[in-house]
Amino acid sequence: MPEQADHIPWMTAMAFRRQCGLSTVGTEVARHGRGAAARCKELGIEPGKLFDERWGQVNTYPWYVLAHAAAK
């Protein structure tokens, strides 16, 4: 996982959605991840990588990026 400035939590879209009580249906999680990836690109942030037993490798994003993507 990338260096976390000021201890901002980084997590997957699935983890964020579970913590916030949002739908964890695959299409919704994928949409959320794409939105977070687009926001990271706008901000010049490189998403982190994390091994996932089910999906292989998944991206991680700063919490505030996931919150922004969820609000759209």
Side-chain angles (χ1 to χ4, degrees), residues 7-12 15-17 19-20 32 36 60-70:
H7 305 287
I8 296 169
W10 284 56
M11 62 184 70
T12 64
F16 180 88
R17 295 182 72 79
Q19 285 186 1
C20 293
H32 194 166
T60 61
Y61 308 96
W63 184 88
Y64 62 89
V65 169
L66 289 162
H68 181 270

Side-chain angles (χ1 to χ4, degrees), residues 11-17 22-23 25-41 45 47-49 58-62 65-72:
M11 62 184 70
T12 64
M14 176 67 85
F16 180 88
R17 295 182 72 79
L22 300 173
S23 168
V25 172
T27 55
E28 292 296 314
V29 176
R31 181 199 55 79
H32 194 166
R34 285 190 302 273
R39 183 65 176 157
C40 277
K41 188 173 184 178
I45 297 171
K49 305 286 184 195
V58 295
N59 290 329
T60 61
Y61 308 96
V65 169
L66 289 162
H68 181 270
K72 286 195 156 205

Side-chain angles (χ1 to χ4, degrees), residues 3-9:
E3 189 67 31
Q4 297 179 2
D6 299 323
H7 305 287
I8 296 169

